[in-house]
Amino acid sequence: MPTTTPLRHKVLSRAVALALAVNFSMPPAWMTAQAANHQLTHVRDVNIVDYVVNVDWDFDNPPSQVGNAAQRLDRAYITEVIRVMARSKFTATEGRHRVGHVFVYKNGKFGNNVDIRLLNSEGRSSANVSGWGSRGATSNNHLGFQGTFESVDALGKVINHELGHYTYGLYDEYVEEGAPLKTDDPGSPSGRDTPKNTAMNNHLQFVTLSTPADYRDASQRQTAQARMMATSADGSGGSAWEMLSRPAEQDPAQARGQGRTFFEAFRGVNPQTLELKRPADGFDADLRMVFAPEPVFRDVIVVDRTLPAARLADLVQAAKTLVGQSAGDVQFAVVTSPGDAAALVFTTADTAGKQALTAALDAIQPVPDGTFNGLAAFTQAYKLIAGVRQPGDLATLHLLTGAETQLPQEAVTTARTARVSVNALGLSGGDAQARTLRTKQAQLQSVAGASVNLSQASSLTGGSYNVARNGAEASKDASRAYNEAHANPVASVRGDGSAPLKAGRSFSSKFRVASPAVDGDVEVETYFDPADAAKLSFSLTAPDGKVYTPTTPTAGVGFEADAAEGVMLVRIGSQVPGRAGVWSMAVTASADMVDGLGLDVSSASRMQLAAYVLGGTSDKAQTPPVLRATLGGDKRVKGAVVNASIYDEEGTLLADSLALRDDGVAPDIRAGDGEYTVSLKGLLKPGEYYAVLQAVNDGSARLASLGALVKGARNEELPVEAFEREVEVAFSLDASAAGVIGTPEPAPTPTPGASSPDEGGGCTVNPAGRDASMLLLLGWALAALAMRWRRRQG
């Protein structure tokens, strides 16, 4: 396949080119530190931390605070609470971290995929330890506690305490009266602990974080923080400042797997000589509140036209499904590479808009002898976004290409810096030769000569990556990625599929539906090639044996077919009597099918299964790969059975029924916290994979505490009714990482030097108008193309 010369662009100024060279020559490890829970969560200029908040009420029609009728929960109230948090963080970090932009959404928007949740209810506030950078991790902060309301000052300090857990990976330094010292849960406070005068003990009384001096007395080293983070057998080396100032790879083994982020702002701090100044002045120098009551979602569909016609048709089918199922207020644009006349600027996905978008997608033609230019395509997308984006708006690139595709490093660094997530959908079918060619093409397009695979591109930008084998799977995966990007409260219950059916043959899949309290309304979506629409018949069997079909409608069960997009949607409403139990969806073919089937069962629930792989990559070379899953919503669920099957990107099963455990035995961090883990050490070679995880609760599971709790009485753990969940996660393993087959164990990581590009730069969002810095990023990307062209011409 011949390559083509990148487009010629006007060479930008020497200053811009220099800025590009500095910003984009950084290795992939730099990008890892930028990955975040929400796409607007970020570290700017090393010291400024941007957070995302949601509140479970409407701040423009504010209710009263729980237990305090005189307090209206309006914008002014939220602002004052955040100011207390920002001042507390600035003081605790000795001015090394200032809070910058705080994006605030109402009515629980984005669910658990934010940094800070404010809940107008009574409860014991909590947080995911080292949740920064993990999808679905958060801190829950209640406005009432133990029969009384939290004052503005107290709530702000509660949030700061929980962010100590969530952002930095700190553990508690208080005494939990009556709690035993658990060997399988060292990170939990006990009644035998020796409290410290720090914000991780009593956040209302103390403002600082612990130093080595707090642990100088060997008889006073019994805290959750020391048990998890001490580097010596005598319990020393575990204070907060000793932990913050060292890279996570130097944490003790029991803590290394939690995924703690090292922040560049703490590099070079000597905890032994640190003198606490407790600064407060200037804490709000960069603080900007950005209230976003009605954020606009702008999605750019990027289509790779260089795939063979059949593979391209599968991806176009997925794109049409994505548009067809979207909400009417979402805006889409279409960008192709190589570019053609089908490209559309942002179009609202109302009825007319969907027709225009579908027509544009249908018009896309393959260019099998062309070159996919990821940097040029992404640059065009950034230009479209920059022209219309307002503060608090969300932007996503849906990249539809082959699983063998690589991207120039600059395309991904720009996406992360510009707060644009990448949902990559890779269609299998490419061979090793195609992968090698794609890698070389991406490297030629890169100023740094570096490429990033699709799994890395998605994880580094807060997006999702899926691998599909046919159009039906691609449509299913695109719909799931859309729901994640738009923070729809949707939990995946079951995914399934089949090869093309022969005439007279049937496919059937079973799934469990819980009561409306757990599962809400349930949707069963079957995806197929539109050419097969007239050949298929559908039936749904309830737990009591009653059979529903499109011709036998009943209250609460509805069928909705879209033959043009290849989707059959079945809704099981909350009002259906006796709906809790095992259902079955069946599809029968009257003639041979041309393509396979995909099935996706989801519920309107925040009780979700989420998963990711930590370690096994070059940026975490000393951490063997661990597959980790969390189960739950506002509260975690412990006691479920969680298993995983692992496939290569072509769909070949490599490992079946791997049991993930929540028992506190390494690599699991804490027993009974609703986080399940299994080691992948020595199991897989370098390459790209995906895992399908299933969680089953037969009714014996119980609610668990969500991560680390604020000081106070423990709540009773309640039983959870029977339900099931599923999730699919793609990941890659590098040859340089520990635990990957063929990789020697690496030497210990040396103590960091004076400088590193881990955390720096960034995109400043202007709260008074458009995100103008996107235009500068665009200039950098254009300069990248120009510089690469000049090199090749030389």
Side-chain angles (χ1 to χ4, degrees):
M1 181 183 300
T3 60
T4 59
T5 302
L7 297 174
R8 301 187 184 190
H9 292 278
K10 180 179 180 180
V11 179
L12 302 184
S13 70
R14 187 181 183 91
V16 173
L18 178 60
L20 168 73
V22 171
N23 193 62
F24 284 159
S25 61
M26 296 176 180
W30 175 84
M31 294 185 291
T32 301
Q34 299 294 323
N37 188 15
H38 186 280
Q39 65 175 237
L40 297 181
T41 302
H42 208 62
V43 174
R44 294 182 287 122
D45 303 325
V46 177
N47 302 103
I48 305 169
V49 184
D50 294 343
Y51 282 117
V52 178
V53 178
N54 69 25
V55 302
D56 68 353
W57 65 87
D58 183 349
F59 46 66
D60 289 325
N61 293 284
S64 296
Q65 182 181 9
V66 59
N68 184 16
Q71 178 64 67
R72 306 296 291 177
L73 304 181
D74 54 13
R75 296 187 183 205
Y77 168 82
I78 298 169
T79 298
E80 288 306 307
V81 169
I82 295 301
R83 284 183 63 84
V84 174
M85 178 274 289
R87 184 174 60 247
S88 300
K89 173 180 284 294
F90 186 77
T91 300
T93 62
E94 289 294 301
R96 287 172 172 81
H97 264 176
R98 292 193 303 276
V99 177
H101 294 102
V102 179
F103 300 90
V104 186
Y105 300 92
K106 65 182 183 181
N107 297 329
K109 190 71 175 177
F110 303 112
N112 287 346
N113 202 42
V114 297
D115 307 298
I116 302 166
R117 300 189 67 220
L118 296 184
L119 306 171
N120 190 25
S121 59
E122 283 200 16
R124 189 174 178 185
S125 296
S126 59
N128 296 117
V129 177
S130 295
W132 175 279
S134 299
R135 179 183 290 274
T138 189
S139 67
N140 287 335
N141 304 273
H142 295 271
L143 274 58
F145 183 45
Q146 295 182 336
T148 187
F149 65 89
E150 297 276 20
S151 69
V152 168
D153 183 74
L155 181 59
K157 291 175 179 176
V158 164
I159 298 171
N160 183 56
H161 175 102
E162 297 306 332
L163 289 179
H165 298 305
Y166 167 85
T167 308
Y168 303 122
L170 295 168
Y171 285 82
D172 289 304
E173 293 173 318
Y174 61 74
V175 174
E176 182 91 346
E177 297 294 347
L181 181 60
K182 300 178 181 178
T183 57
D184 63 349
D185 189 7
S188 182
S190 79
R192 296 173 53 187
D193 287 356
T194 52
K196 304 302 174 187
N197 295 341
T198 68
M200 299 311 294
N201 169 19
N202 189 328
H203 51 272
L204 299 178
Q205 184 177 356
F206 306 110
V207 298
T208 60
L209 301 177
S210 60
T211 68
D214 292 300
Y215 288 89
R216 187 164 292 128
D217 185 345
S219 67
Q220 301 291 307
R221 293 174 182 163
Q222 192 73 278
T223 67
Q225 172 68 21
R227 285 191 292 273
M228 289 300 297
M229 292 296 175
T231 53
S232 298
D234 62 2
S236 62
S239 70
W241 277 106
E242 287 171 288
M243 185 196 84
L244 291 174
S245 59
R246 70 183 179 228
E249 289 77 12
Q250 293 181 5
D251 286 344
Q254 71 268 19
R256 202 173 300 152
Q258 71 184 30
R260 178 174 74 85
T261 298
F262 172 76
F263 292 91
E264 184 66 22
F266 303 126
R267 186 178 297 280
V269 173
N270 185 340
Q272 303 298 331
T273 60
L274 178 65
E275 182 179 353
L276 300 181
K277 301 293 187 180
R278 300 173 178 83
D281 292 344
F283 80 90
D284 56 354
D286 299 283
L287 181 61
R288 302 289 184 274
M289 299 295 295
V290 182
F291 288 89
E294 300 296 338
V296 176
F297 291 91
R298 293 186 175 88
D299 292 27
V300 182
I301 301 174
V302 181
V303 182
D304 178 0
R305 298 174 61 210
T306 67
L307 296 179
R311 295 178 75 197
L312 179 61
D314 285 342
L315 291 177
V316 169
Q317 178 184 337
K320 291 165 62 177
T321 299
L322 190 155
V323 170
Q325 295 188 328
S326 67
D329 58 352
V330 176
Q331 296 183 8
F332 285 96
V334 178
V335 170
T336 64
S337 178
D340 68 356
L344 280 185
V345 297
F346 279 111
T347 303
T348 301
D350 54 17
T351 301
K354 287 182 179 180
Q355 291 175 349
L357 289 161
T358 298
L361 292 167
D362 281 334
I364 295 175
Q365 297 296 317
V367 186
D369 59 346
T371 299
F372 175 69
N373 191 320
L375 184 55
F378 277 33
T379 298
Q380 184 178 357
Y382 300 146
K383 183 176 181 179
L384 292 171
I385 294 167
V388 295
R389 192 178 191 182
Q390 300 292 328
D393 288 351
L394 281 296
T396 302
L397 305 188
H398 298 275
L399 173 60
L400 309 183
T401 183
E404 68 273 16
T405 294
Q406 299 270 311
L407 289 170
Q409 179 182 306
E410 290 82 355
V412 180
T413 53
T414 303
R416 180 58 202 143
T417 306
R419 327 287 181 94
V420 176
S421 60
V422 177
N423 283 353
L425 175 59
L427 196 67
S428 62
D431 55 21
Q433 182 179 1
R435 179 177 296 279
T436 299
L437 178 60
R438 291 289 183 122
T439 300
K440 290 181 179 178
Q441 290 172 345
Q443 290 170 347
L444 283 172
Q445 296 160 15
S446 167
V447 172
S451 63
V452 177
N453 63 39
L454 298 182
S455 174
Q456 293 168 328
S458 295
S459 64
L460 294 171
T461 60
S464 61
Y465 173 52
N466 290 283
V467 179
R469 291 172 293 181
N470 53 46
E473 280 192 8
S475 295
K476 177 189 71 174
D477 291 341
S479 294
R480 285 189 176 184
Y482 171 89
N483 285 327
E484 288 185 4
H486 292 254
N488 293 334
V490 174
S492 179
V493 175
R494 173 80 168 141
D496 208 343
S498 84
L501 298 175
K502 295 293 185 181
R505 302 301 297 269
S506 296
F507 161 75
S508 179
S509 184
K510 295 181 178 181
F511 55 92
R512 177 180 291 278
V513 174
S515 73
V518 171
D519 269 342
D521 291 337
V522 173
E523 293 188 346
V524 184
E525 294 171 290
T526 305
Y527 301 94
F528 48 87
D529 193 299
D532 291 323
K535 308 171 187 176
L536 305 178
S537 59
F538 302 85
S539 64
L540 181 71
T541 303
D544 61 3
K546 186 174 182 178
V547 178
Y548 301 95
T549 69
T551 58
T552 58
T554 188
V557 177
F559 288 75
E560 181 181 335
D562 191 330
E565 293 180 6
V567 181
M568 169 62 79
L569 169 63
V570 184
R571 292 187 173 91
I572 305 173
S574 299
Q575 72 272 36
V576 176
R579 72 170 211 160
V582 178
W583 292 68
S584 178
M585 185 71 190
V587 184
T588 301
S590 61
D592 290 356
M593 295 180 64
V594 300
D595 206 347
L597 291 167
L599 180 75
D600 186 31
V601 183
S602 60
S603 72
S605 171
R606 289 184 50 217
M607 182 77 75
Q608 298 175 338
L609 179 66
Y612 63 97
V613 172
L614 176 69
T617 52
S618 58
D619 59 295
K620 294 188 179 295
Q622 293 195 49
T623 304
V626 172
L627 177 59
R628 180 170 293 168
T630 56
L631 179 63
D634 292 343
K635 294 288 186 180
R636 294 277 184 82
V637 175
K638 68 177 186 179
V641 176
V642 182
N643 289 299
S645 298
I646 299 179
Y647 303 80
D648 65 18
E649 61 183 350
E650 295 301 318
T652 303
L653 179 64
L654 303 177
D656 194 18
S657 298
L658 294 177
L660 284 76
R661 303 190 182 279
D662 181 19
D663 55 7
V665 178
D668 189 52
I669 301 295
R670 302 181 68 175
D673 66 348
E675 186 166 65
Y676 303 77
T677 56
V678 64
S679 174
L680 303 182
K681 182 177 181 179
L683 185 63
L684 302 168
K685 299 183 295 184
E688 297 186 47
Y689 307 92
Y690 66 94
V692 178
L693 293 84
Q694 290 185 323
V696 177
N697 168 33
D698 61 5
S700 60
R702 304 180 72 85
L703 289 178
S705 300
L706 174 63
L709 295 160
V710 73
K711 186 176 182 180
R714 286 192 176 274
N715 296 324
E716 181 181 1
E717 295 179 342
L718 301 175
V720 183
E721 67 174 282
F723 69 91
E724 66 181 27
R725 292 291 185 266
E726 182 180 286
V727 70
E728 181 178 317
V729 58
F731 60 98
S732 58
L733 300 178
D734 296 339
S736 59
V740 179
I741 291 178
T743 302
E745 291 297 320
T749 300
T751 301
S755 63
S756 169
D758 278 353
E759 297 256 353
C763 161
T764 302
V765 179
N766 176 7
R770 291 177 180 168
D771 188 353
S773 62
M774 280 284 291
L775 298 176
L776 178 59
L777 290 169
L778 172 63
W780 286 346
L782 294 177
L785 288 173
M787 291 171 67
R788 172 56 61 190
W789 175 79
R790 292 178 67 186
R791 275 188 200 172
R792 294 183 64 183
Q793 295 305 306

